């Protein structure tokens, strides 16, 4: 009845202004709610009518699959062909493993990150190749994939945006 949908335009919705747009410097729901329209995560909680209430199944988001060859290693294989927004400074470049490493290096080293404790068991993140990233843990941590699906602060960010804006606080950085 409304006609054929067309891409683009402006989404207007009722909401509140977040304190800023840096997911590593706030646990504010408004920030993370708005960022959910802009960023993705490696994995996410599945939603829909086929999900049994009270369960939180995990499904791929920016990763197409993952594996855990031992108790302290998780390997994520990224979806190929995923593009960042076609605006400066990213200009639609491809999403790659370096983006994941940069994100979690920031997450783990930002002293003001109130969610940093969630990934305390992570020792380091390594780039295996352009589309593969490895999380190496200090100790077994069965909740890693569930924490990465958390919609608060686990959005994948790009180095170029932080370099251009100095941080992610301004709305233009999203």
């Amino acid at each position: 009845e409304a006609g054929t949908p067309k891409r683009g335009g402006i989404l207007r919705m009722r909401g509140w202004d977040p304190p800023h747009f840096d997911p590593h410097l706030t646990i504010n729901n408004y920030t993370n709610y708005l960022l959910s329209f802009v960023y993705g995560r490696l994995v996410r909680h599945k939603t829909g009518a086929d999900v049994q209430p009270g369960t939180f199944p995990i499904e791929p988001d920016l990763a197409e699959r993952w594996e855990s060859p031992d108790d302290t290693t998780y390997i994520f294989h990224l979806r190929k062909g995923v593009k960042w927004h076609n605006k400066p400074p990213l200009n639609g470049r491809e999403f790659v493993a370096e983006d994941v490493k940069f994100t979690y290096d920031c997450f783990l080293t930002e002293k003001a990150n109130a969610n940093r404790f969630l990934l305390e068991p992570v020792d380091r993140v390594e780039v295996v190749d352009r589309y593969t990233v490895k999380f190496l843990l200090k100790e077994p941590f069965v909740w890693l994939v569930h924490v990465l699906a958390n919609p608060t602060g686990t959005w994948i960010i790009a180095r170029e945006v932080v370099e251009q804006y100095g941080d992610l606080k301004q709305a233009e950085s999203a």
Side-chain angles (χ1 to χ4, degrees), residues 11-32:
L11 171 64
R12 297 186 194 277
M13 52 194 275
R14 182 174 184 261
W16 296 266
D17 290 337
H20 56 73
F21 292 85
D22 191 328
H24 297 157
L25 295 178
T26 184
I27 56 173
N28 184 281
N29 285 337
Y30 303 130
T31 295
N32 286 285

Side-chain angles (χ1 to χ4, degrees), residues 62-98:
L62 293 171
E64 64 181 12
R65 63 186 171 84
W66 62 92
E67 60 194 275
S68 182
D70 59 57
D71 290 346
T72 58
T73 306
Y74 284 79
I75 301 169
F76 291 86
H77 303 273
L78 307 180
R79 288 194 296 144
K80 295 176 182 167
V82 174
K83 304 286 185 178
W84 286 98
H85 299 91
N86 193 17
K87 65 178 216 174
L90 297 167
N91 301 314
R93 80 155 169 83
E94 189 174 27
F95 162 72
V96 294
E98 283 291 339

Side-chain angles (χ1 to χ4, degrees), residues 3 12-13 32 41-43 62 70 100-101 120 145 149 158 162:
R12 297 186 194 277
M13 52 194 275
N32 286 285
R41 293 161 289 184
L42 287 173
V43 293
L62 293 171
D70 59 57
V100 177
K101 177 174 175 36
E120 182 64 29
V145 177
V162 174

